[in-house]
Structures are given as C-alpha cells and as structure tokens.
Amino acid sequence: MDEKLEILQCLIRNRAFAPSHSALAKELGYKGKMGIYRLMEGKVRQDTVDRIWDLILEHYHLTDDLLYNLARSFAGVSHFYDTLVGQMNRKHPEWVEHLVLSLTADFYDYFSDRFKAETLPILKDLKTDEPEVYWGMVTLVYIRGKGIDIYKHQEDARSAAAQVLDALDNLLFEIYPEKIDAHEAAGNLKSLNRSSCLWNIVWNCITMFRHYAESDFKNEATKALRLFDFGERSYWRLAGSSYGRLAEVWLLIEQSYGRQTNGFYLAMRLRAGNDVCSFNLADTSVLQFWSTDDGEEPILQASRGYGPERQWSFYYYGYDGEKQELHFRPHPDSEILPDLPEMLQRIHLESPAGKDEKVWARILRNWDERQGETMFKQAKEMISGMIDMSDSFRIVNITMDKTTLSLFIERKGEDGAHEYRLPIEEYGFLSEINPSQHVIIVRRRQDGELYAAWTGLGYGIKLSEFSVD
C-alpha cells in the first residue's frame, strides 16, 4: 500500500485535522466530501492521494517529514497505550500525570519486569533517536488518558487546547523547576496556540516537552533562526530620516548562543530626547528571522513583553544586503503587531556615508559610550522579566564537589561573603555544569523571588532553596 495513503488514513482516522471526514473536506476546500471517504477505504487513484496530501501540506503549513512523524506518534499510541496503562493504578486520581512523569523522567521503578525487558528498551531508543515521534506519543497518551476531546464543543476548542498545554506545562515545571527558559517558552506556545486542530496541540506540546527534557534543545531550535552580517550590535534609522528631537533609531543586538549563523535579535527602539546626548527606550522586542530553503517568502516572528503577557506578531521580511535595508510587511494572519516600520536603513558607525548618516553615527557613538550598557540592561529586563541584582548580590566565588554546589555571595551593606549551599542531587543539571559558567542573582518579576540564574543555559534556582552560612 502507498505510504502516503497509509499516513493520511492514520491521521484522518485519528482526527488530527478535523472532527470528521466532511469537516476536513470543508476545511481544505476539497470538492465532494466523498473523496475523503473513498480515500479512507483505499479506493482512490494515486493522483487523488497526492492532491489531498498537498492540500493538507499547504493548508496547515506542514512538511512531508512532519506528517510522517505525526502519523508515527498516533501509531505509537495505538501500539503502546494498553501496555502503558496496564502498569498504572487507574484508581489513583493522578495516574495519567504519573504515567507522563515516568515517560518524561525515565522513572520506571515500579513497572513490571516484563515491561522493563520488552517495552522499555524500545521506548528509550525512540526517545533518543526520534524525539519528535516520542514526545508526540506522550502528548497523545495524556490526551487519551484524560479523555479529552477537543472537538466536542467547537466553541471551546481553543480553550481545550490551552488547557492541555497549561496542564502539561505545570506538570513539567514541577519536574524541572530550574528550567525557567522552558517555562517561558511554554508560555509563548500557549499565547501562539490559535488553532483548534489536534495536530497543532500535539506539535506545540512536542516543542514544550523538548524544551524541558532535552538540555541542548534550545541550540537545536535556534538552527531554524537566521543571523545576518550585521555584527553583534547594529543601528538602523527609519528610511531617509534625519536626526532630531523624537527621531527614532533601532539598535539590533545579536543573540547567538555561540552559533555563527543562527540566533535572533534583541531590538531596542530608541527615541531622541531634548539634547544630542540622550535617548529614551521607547520599546523592546525580540526579532526572530526564520530560515527558508523552499522558495517561500521568509517570515519574521516578533514579540514583546514577558511571561503570559507576551505578545507575538508575524511579518514577511526582506533584506537587501547591497543597500543595507530591512523591509517588513505584516503577515495577513497576524493579530497583534509591535509596529515595525516598512523599512529600516543601516547606519554605519565606522564609515558613514552622507551628511545625515554622519550626524547619526557621531551621536550614536557618543550615546553608546555614555548610556549604551545601562539601557541594554534595562531592555533585557523588559523582555526577560528578570532584574539583574548583581549590584546587591555579587557572586565572588563558586565551588563544586561531588555532593555540593556553593555560591559565595557578598550582600550590599554587609561585610564579608555568605556561603549559599545546595546538594548537587537536588537538580540533575548541576552535574552538567562547572564553576566557570556564568551565574548571576536575578529577581523574577512574575513571582518577586530571587534566583541564582545560569542565563545562558536557561536554568534558575530560587535562592531560598539554598542553605546559608
């Protein structure tokens, strides 16, 4: 049997895209719902299979590989679900959560010997070799175990999707409370989840699971984002604009996580004050330029704010390297826009051309020396929701042995350093770090708590969890 046909039958049978065959035909704009029924019976020609396949790819903005992996996740649930459920005490009110915990943290102490011998090796290999398939299966196990039907009440379908993401995020944050970046990413996924399709919920949950459970996933995810040859810091003016009171300029700061060509930009929108020495920080946003290799018009994902208040928007973008111009056009499906201009022109600080650019370059060099770092710190706090407390809590030394992490912290207004200790076994990631990795004390705006934060790695531990001498 044709592989495409098998994949489509699996996904349609499991209602990945719509609650019924007729609803899917309507969603795709496919003439005649009987075509979907005949496909499910295997009574269609190859060109019909290809046409429905292509319609699904185009309508839902998917790829061949993603359809294949989704189908394998659904097939995995059909194959493993009864075996997994058979290991649980279904009288316990949270048996589903305990099952997800086991599948996430590899906690199988109370599973049967037969399961450990026959099923567990398959699951572990799948988790390592094909994480998208594995985490899709775990998501579907949770949805099936909880008896969730997102299509039951169409008017509440998006609410049901948010509930799934929220419940799994809460569970994962309990397992990995140190993974602040993963929790933030989950909040972003919840704010972006506007589709009521089951596949979309599964895909967002796959991304969320990987952020939490895979220590190197942030670097993997960053590969989908493009960096240009702007350098670490670049200034941009509105098309043809001259310097003057209230004039705007944009500062793009590269965030690469050590990669050469992949990452994103922290964008600071500055507004000129009453004199040539001052600018005000009008807004801060994150700009993620998605890589494209299939001929489609490239998309920019822009966001501002932090936590549950973060807002996302999408633009088509173009970059003219010769003219050093960035062009933006709102995506028709975007609901909230952070007001990107139609075009930005690069200001070359070292070799400006023309009178206006020379004035901009001189003023911005002066501003960068006087205010640049202070305002950059303010911008990071605005977008991350974390306040750098290094002025009040300065880490002067870090030591680690096989059992204990010690942070020696000088507190403002007090003499000497206090030792903050934490057993290594409390957090699994502590066995992967070393004292040379950057850690600072921050205060999270969401809960007001102080954290020891490894900001480059996305980890954070409440300072109140340390014992203090």
Side-chain angles (χ1 to χ4, degrees):
M1 184 181 291
D2 179 75
E3 186 178 42
K4 282 187 177 180
L5 177 59
E6 289 182 336
I7 291 172
L8 288 176
Q9 288 174 333
C10 174
L11 293 172
I12 295 171
R13 182 172 57 251
N14 286 283
R15 305 193 301 165
F17 306 108
S20 66
H21 300 351
S22 59
L24 177 60
K26 182 179 179 181
E27 180 79 12
L28 295 175
Y30 189 78
K31 294 181 180 180
K33 65 180 180 181
M34 292 307 297
I36 303 295
Y37 285 98
R38 288 195 296 271
L39 180 138
M40 295 305 292
E41 295 171 356
K43 298 177 180 179
V44 291
R45 297 192 304 250
Q46 183 62 44
D47 63 337
T48 301
V49 174
D50 293 339
R51 185 161 62 253
I52 295 175
W53 180 277
D54 291 339
L55 278 172
I56 288 175
L57 292 184
E58 181 180 357
H59 185 78
Y60 298 107
H61 307 288
L62 302 175
T63 63
D64 293 339
D65 288 343
L66 183 50
L67 282 190
Y68 176 74
N69 287 338
L70 282 170
R72 292 205 59 211
S73 293
F74 279 104
V77 171
S78 298
H79 182 75
F80 289 109
Y81 185 79
D82 289 341
T83 301
L84 291 167
V85 171
Q87 301 297 308
M88 309 307 295
N89 174 16
R90 297 183 66 184
K91 294 181 180 179
H92 194 286
E94 295 184 347
W95 71 268
V96 180
E97 287 79 2
H98 291 166
L99 177 55
V100 171
L101 168 62
S102 296
L103 292 168
T104 302
D106 294 331
F107 183 75
Y108 299 103
D109 291 7
Y110 301 109
F111 284 52
S112 69
D113 291 339
R114 181 176 179 181
F115 177 91
K116 293 175 183 177
E118 298 178 1
T119 305
L120 185 55
I122 300 173
L123 293 177
K124 285 194 170 185
D125 285 350
L126 186 64
K127 184 179 183 181
T128 300
D129 299 335
E130 300 179 85
E132 289 182 3
V133 175
Y134 181 83
W135 295 119
M137 188 185 73
V138 173
T139 300
L140 290 166
V141 165
Y142 175 82
I143 291 172
R144 181 170 172 180
K146 300 297 285 187
I148 298 170
D149 181 0
I150 66 163
Y151 300 120
K152 186 175 181 180
H153 302 290
Q154 276 295 287
E155 66 275 11
D156 295 328
R158 293 186 181 182
S159 176
Q163 289 175 13
V164 171
L165 283 162
D166 201 45
L168 287 173
D169 176 35
N170 290 337
L171 178 63
L172 291 169
F173 200 38
E174 287 183 12
I175 302 173
Y176 304 106
E178 74 279 11
K179 296 204 171 180
I180 298 175
D181 271 16
H183 187 51
E184 173 77 5
N188 298 339
L189 288 167
K190 283 181 277 187
S191 67
L192 285 169
N193 187 60
R194 302 190 180 101
S195 172
S196 59
C197 294
L198 179 56
W199 81 265
N200 186 257
I201 298 173
V202 173
W203 179 248
N204 283 332
C205 287
I206 289 171
T207 304
M208 180 168 61
F209 271 110
R210 297 193 71 184
H211 268 292
Y212 272 109
E214 299 175 26
S215 59
D216 59 347
F217 181 66
K218 183 184 349 185
N219 289 335
E220 185 68 25
T222 304
K223 292 179 182 178
L225 305 176
R226 178 183 180 184
L227 291 177
F228 297 92
D229 58 353
F230 304 157
E232 293 184 5
R233 298 161 69 92
S234 60
Y235 289 91
W236 303 75
R237 58 174 169 159
L238 301 183
S241 65
S242 302
Y243 172 78
R245 183 175 177 272
L246 300 182
E248 286 190 3
V249 64
W250 291 67
L251 169 58
L252 303 188
I253 304 166
E254 184 180 286
Q255 308 292 302
S256 66
Y257 292 113
R259 298 190 61 83
Q260 184 69 29
T261 58
N262 305 107
F264 59 93
Y265 293 91
L266 178 66
M268 298 168 57
R269 181 160 62 93
L270 305 171
R271 184 174 291 124
N274 294 323
D275 58 66
V276 296
C277 298
S278 64
F279 283 83
N280 299 313
L281 183 60
D283 197 12
T284 303
S285 56
V286 169
L287 304 183
Q288 298 177 327
F289 295 88
W290 290 359
S291 302
T292 57
D293 54 9
D294 53 7
E296 292 185 359
E297 191 170 5
I299 290 177
L300 164 69
Q301 181 175 317
S303 64
R304 61 181 174 190
Y306 64 91
E309 304 303 319
R310 177 163 290 188
Q311 298 175 334
W312 297 85
S313 301
F314 296 88
Y315 292 80
Y316 293 117
Y317 75 88
Y319 173 52
D320 187 325
E322 183 176 345
K323 295 182 178 179
Q324 295 284 282
E325 294 176 349
L326 276 170
H327 299 262
F328 306 105
R329 179 165 54 85
H331 192 284
D333 295 334
S334 191
E335 296 180 6
I336 303 172
L337 300 174
D339 303 322
L340 291 181
E342 291 185 6
M343 185 175 76
L344 290 172
Q345 293 178 320
R346 178 87 177 271
I347 299 171
H348 295 84
L349 299 191
E350 302 305 323
S351 55
K355 179 180 177 181
D356 283 339
E357 189 174 353
K358 289 178 180 178
V359 172
W360 273 116
R362 175 175 54 80
I363 291 171
L364 290 172
R365 282 197 300 268
N366 181 57
W367 174 84
D368 198 276
E369 292 176 1
R370 292 170 177 265
Q371 288 183 285
E373 282 305 314
T374 299
M375 200 161 287
F376 175 52
K377 180 180 176 181
Q378 180 184 346
K380 286 198 298 183
E381 292 175 358
M382 288 174 62
I383 209 69
S384 69
M386 295 184 185
I387 303 170
D388 188 340
M389 301 297 292
S390 298
D391 290 342
S392 300
F393 297 84
R394 190 169 72 92
I395 299 176
V396 295
N397 194 19
I398 303 171
T399 63
M400 294 182 70
D401 57 31
K402 292 182 178 180
T403 62
T404 307
L405 164 69
S406 293
L407 304 179
F408 295 86
I409 302 175
E410 290 182 348
R411 299 190 298 221
K412 188 174 182 180
E414 299 181 9
D415 294 330
H418 298 268
E419 182 181 1
Y420 287 71
R421 297 188 312 278
L422 187 73
I424 295 291
E425 63 183 14
E426 290 292 318
Y427 291 95
F429 84 93
L430 291 176
S431 62
E432 303 171 7
I433 66 171
N434 60 68
S436 66
Q437 289 168 317
H438 185 60
V439 56
I440 59 174
I441 305 302
V442 301
R443 187 183 301 279
R444 290 189 69 205
R445 292 183 184 273
Q446 281 185 267
D447 58 16
E449 295 272 3
L450 291 170
Y451 286 77
W454 288 260
T455 53
L457 302 175
Y459 296 122
I461 303 175
K462 287 182 180 180
L463 209 57
S464 60
E465 296 187 27
F466 289 75
S467 59
V468 187
D469 281 346

